[in-house]
Amino acid sequence: MRILTSLCAFASVAGAIKNPIISGWNPDPAILRVGETYYIATSSFEYFPGIPIYKSNDLANWELFSHALTSPRHVQLYGTPTGAGAWAPSLSYIDGLFYLASMTRWTYDPVARVWPRVFFSTSKDLVTWSDPVWCEPWGIDPALFQDPFTNKTYLNLMAPNNNVDRLWGIYQCEISLQTGNCIGEYRSLWNGTMEHNAAARDEGPKMFYKDGFYYLLIAEGGTDDLHRSTIARSASPEGPWTPNPQNPILFNGAYGYDNLTVQSTGHATFVETKEGDWYASFIARRKINGSSPLGRETFLTTVAWKDGWPILNNGNPITLSESFGREPDQQPFPDPFVDKFEGPELDPSWYQLRIPYTNNYRLFSGGNKTSCGRPSESGLVFNPNVFSLSERDTPAAMLRKQVSLNMTFSATLLSTKSGFGPRQSVGISAYLSEFQHQDIGVRGCTNQTGLCLFYTLRMNTTVQDQEISVNRSYIPAGLTLLIRAEPLKYTLGYVLGSDQPVWVASLASSWLAFAPANYFVFSGASFALFASGGGEPWPFDAPDVGFQNVREEYYEERIPDYDVWQ
């Protein structure tokens, strides 16, 4: 199995653990230790394969290990908009099996918000997963907990009180691991610490046992600046629950929403090391001049215990400059990522949008022949279809999460011997959603013969489009497309052979951070390779298009602890 190079915090000097521990959008991290290995599962939304699982032996350095949802049997993402899809997984280890519980929102837009019941799947190795077992309750953020004394297994989840009032809270029932059915009372557990009304969002319940108490750790306040973690305890997994008098135990918003860079802290999960130390994984956003282009990332902090209650990060706010823990130092920021598409399979860090129901790409190694009969370079060749990145379908596109706020993404096109029309295109994109993606590529010129470089900036409902003639009727060898990502802006450009880069457009990074009115974006920015017929089938006599290689260069970020930018 191929493993992604470990992702750590991008820092010039590492000391113990620094945040984020998994950079790039990886929200809702659920951490679990089995033996000497730690695992984290995160949300994946409309991306496929779904639910990435990372592993680490030291809590500091993490690598992509597998995905839990790898088949349409596991997840259904047909027509799923940005913001919907696979949400908020949890990991448990019960009787020698890994259990992953999650749910899928099929749609989540101004017209409809539809999702089925929650489910769980099992695995012996975190690689091969069973078909889902559907549970009776309807809600989100499910988690399984097995009582170490009675061996009863409980399903805890965020759910509405009924389908009329829809007042959300934390609910529970004892569950059958064979059928997913409730075999005990379905009860309301706890409504958290904030006012319980239609706007309440008590979510992400995680239950564990320690020193005579059962603990119920939840998130509150929604997914933005009010997000926080709170906790309660009980002598029974069924309650009643006593809230921590020092709640919230994690809430950077308490120090000012426009103050600290790290915001939206919450959705925590606790883990104990072999040595008896405790840590919490949680989500947070790095605010860059008020917005967060990388979305919600995976953070970690220490947990101390006093009088039976946890204290996170010694009671201090979460900052980027601090290091902590007794674990080994993180490795410095990684070497450039280079993919020449030479193997039989794609690197597991590449994703498609929604469920691919056709074969949208193929890999070639040097010496093979393309469908046009010519020897090919090694590379990724697309099978373009009618869809583009702007449709709620599955375009011929491959995406990688943006993992640094200061980096360059470059992709060298495969050369061709002929051209194509103005509707057909091949290129790269800084992608957030079907409404917000910033593209640069090659297409047939609109008002003249030959091929043109183009860039298209989509800022929700505003679109800017520009063409630049390349004075050729084919894609020349050595044409490389560039996206320079900096904390405050993205810049699009290209380079031909050994020439100097030509930068053609830029826009504020905030355009890769939020959705149009009444829509939702819970992921963050990615980089995409794409080819599209622009609403028409790819012409039968058009050339094969794709990419010879991709390269990512990472630079020191120097993100301040306070969101103050000149």
Side-chain angles (χ1 to χ4, degrees), residues 18 25 49 74 104 117 125 167 173 187 193 237 275 278 290 299 327 362 373 385 396 439 475 565:
K18 276 181 172 283
W25 63 272
H74 298 144
T104 304
R117 295 173 295 176
D125 56 9
L167 295 177
C173 69
R187 62 177 66 84
T193 63
E275 294 75 24
W278 285 74
F299 281 59
E327 303 303 323
R362 57 196 189 275
N385 58 49
D439 309 338
I475 297 176
W565 295 81

Side-chain angles (χ1 to χ4, degrees), residues 17 31-38 57-59 270-280 300-303 305 325-327:
I17 302 173
I31 194 168
L32 173 72
R33 178 178 67 85
V34 176
E36 298 184 356
T37 305
Y38 301 91
N57 293 320
D58 59 15
L59 288 174
F270 286 6
V271 68
E272 184 181 13
T273 69
K274 288 194 312 176
E275 294 75 24
D277 296 327
W278 285 74
Y279 291 88
L300 192 78
T301 194
T302 57
V303 179
W305 293 89
R326 298 190 295 179
E327 303 303 323

Side-chain angles (χ1 to χ4, degrees), residues 61-206:
N61 301 286
W62 294 83
E63 60 187 15
L64 179 59
F65 180 69
S66 65
H67 292 85
L69 309 179
T70 59
S71 162
R73 303 191 321 273
H74 298 144
V75 63
Q76 298 76 44
L77 301 172
Y78 300 108
T80 300
T82 296
W87 278 25
S90 64
L91 286 173
S92 307
Y93 192 70
I94 300 173
D95 298 332
L97 284 176
F98 291 96
Y99 282 77
L100 182 137
S102 187
M103 56 79 63
T104 304
R105 281 187 181 266
W106 286 336
T107 188
Y108 194 59
D109 60 27
V111 176
R113 301 180 182 182
V114 180
W115 65 96
R117 295 173 295 176
V118 299
F119 68 87
F120 61 83
S121 298
T122 62
S123 175
K124 293 181 179 179
D125 56 9
L126 291 168
V127 176
T128 302
W129 288 88
S130 71
D131 288 348
V133 175
W134 295 97
C135 305
E136 284 190 300
W138 179 81
I140 63 176
D141 296 8
L144 298 175
F145 169 74
Q146 187 177 63
D147 189 326
F149 300 103
T150 66
N151 286 329
K152 292 181 178 180
T153 300
Y154 293 91
L155 171 68
N156 303 307
L157 75 163
M158 173 187 179
N161 61 334
N162 56 54
N163 216 13
V164 178
D165 302 323
R166 290 200 177 185
L167 295 177
W168 292 83
I170 306 302
Y171 283 76
Q172 177 198 79
C173 69
E174 183 187 351
I175 197 171
S176 165
L177 293 177
Q178 285 69 48
T179 66
N181 293 338
C182 291
I183 56 175
E185 177 189 354
Y186 182 66
R187 62 177 66 84
S188 172
L189 274 191
W190 187 35
N191 292 323
T193 63
M194 303 179 73
E195 183 179 359
H196 191 231
N197 54 31
R201 287 296 180 265
D202 316 321
E203 59 184 270
K206 303 295 190 298

Side-chain angles (χ1 to χ4, degrees), residues 47 350 353 388-390 397-402 409-411 426-441 454 456-458 481-484 490-492 507 512 525-531 547 552:
Y47 285 67
W350 290 105
L353 292 170
S388 73
L389 293 172
S390 296
M398 303 304 304
L399 300 94
R400 266 178 56 86
K401 298 176 183 179
Q402 181 182 339
F409 179 88
S410 61
V426 56
I428 67 174
S429 178
Y431 179 90
L432 179 68
S433 73
E434 58 264 37
F435 304 105
Q436 302 128 300
H437 51 94
Q438 321 309 330
D439 309 338
I440 183 168
F454 75 93
T456 305
L457 307 181
R458 288 178 176 81
L481 306 176
L482 308 170
I483 300 176
R484 178 71 174 93
Y490 290 84
T491 306
L492 310 182
L507 81 165
L512 273 293
S526 296
F527 294 114
L529 312 174
F530 69 87
F547 292 87
E552 294 182 356

Side-chain angles (χ1 to χ4, degrees), residues 20-33:
I21 58 166
I22 306 177
S23 53
W25 63 272
N26 281 283
D28 311 321
I31 194 168
L32 173 72
R33 178 178 67 85

